[in-house]
Amino acid sequence: MSAYNDFMTIATQRYSCRSYSDRRVERDVISLVIDAARLAPSATNRQPWTFHIVDGGDLKREITACYGREWILEAPALIIAVGDHNAAWHRGDGKDHTDIDIAIAVEHICLAAATLGLGTCWVCNFDAARCARALGLKEGEEPIAIIPIGYPQNSNLPEKKRKPLDDIIKWHD
C-alpha cells in the first residue's frame, strides 16, 4: 500500500496550474519530466510522439499566440506534444490511436512534473494548424497538446472537484 499511497499523493498534487513564478526551469529538469513520457505505454509500442520544448524567443510568443490566453505567457517553458499519425497504430476499423498514446504520455509528464514541484496544465483548445506551421511539422504530424510547465506562483493546492467513486464505477457480474 505504500507505493499506492505515494502515487495517490502525487495524483492529488497534480492540478491545472495557471499561475507561474518567473523562476526558470532548468533543461535537465525538463529532460527528467520528458523521460517519464518516454516510458509511457503506447499501442503496439509505436511511440508516435515527439516533445518540442520552447523556453523563449519568438517561437514562444508564436506558440502562446496559438492559445491566446494571458496566463500562459507566465509559464517559463512550454512542452508541445506532437503526435505522428503515420507512425501510430491503427485498429482494424481504422481508428487512429495517436491521441490516446499522446494522452498517456502527457499525463506521465504532468505526474512527473508534480513530483518535482512543478506545475503543468493541459492546453488543447489552441490553433493546431498555426502551431504546426510555427514548429515546421511534417505531413501527418499534429500538435495534440501544449503543456505549460514551471514552478507554481503559490503552493496552495486548489480543491479537486471530482465525481464520487460510486458515480463512475459500473460493476457487471
Side-chain angles (χ1 to χ4, degrees):
M1 284 300 258
S2 175
Y4 175 79
N5 291 335
D6 292 345
F7 174 77
M8 289 304 287
T9 297
I10 294 305
T12 301
Q13 290 173 348
R14 192 229 55 84
Y15 68 99
S16 296
C17 181
R18 292 183 181 89
S19 182
Y20 299 91
S21 77
D22 58 3
R23 180 178 167 195
R24 185 176 183 274
V25 181
E26 298 298 324
R27 288 183 172 194
D28 61 333
V29 174
I30 293 176
S31 293
L32 290 173
V33 170
I34 299 299
D35 198 33
R38 184 182 64 83
L39 297 174
S42 62
T44 68
N45 199 30
R46 297 284 180 94
Q47 304 168 59
W49 50 56
T50 55
F51 302 95
H52 297 248
I53 316 304
V54 180
D55 58 3
D58 291 338
L59 184 57
K60 186 176 181 206
R61 283 187 285 283
E62 180 65 22
I63 299 299
T64 57
C66 294
Y67 177 55
R69 305 293 193 293
E70 291 295 316
W71 69 265
I72 197 170
L73 298 170
E74 292 180 16
L78 306 171
I79 301 169
I80 299 90
V82 174
D84 184 347
H85 293 280
N86 297 321
W89 179 73
H90 294 80
R91 192 168 59 195
D93 63 0
K95 178 171 176 42
D96 179 343
H97 276 252
T98 305
D99 287 358
I100 295 167
D101 292 342
I102 293 291
I104 296 166
V106 168
E107 191 56 15
H108 273 53
I109 286 170
C110 294
L111 291 170
T115 69
L116 297 167
L118 294 165
T120 57
C121 185
W122 285 67
V123 174
C124 297
N125 181 20
F126 63 96
D127 185 336
R130 182 176 178 181
C131 185
R133 284 190 304 276
L135 293 172
L137 300 183
K138 299 177 208 160
E139 181 73 28
E141 293 179 321
E142 176 190 7
I144 306 291
I146 300 172
I147 306 105
I149 186 168
Y151 293 94
Q153 183 65 37
N154 64 57
S155 59
N156 298 333
L157 290 177
E159 178 187 350
K160 285 196 182 273
K161 297 174 184 156
R162 299 295 188 265
K163 293 179 180 179
L165 196 55
D166 289 341
D167 287 358
I168 64 169
I169 294 177
K170 303 295 180 199
W171 295 100
H172 301 269
D173 292 328

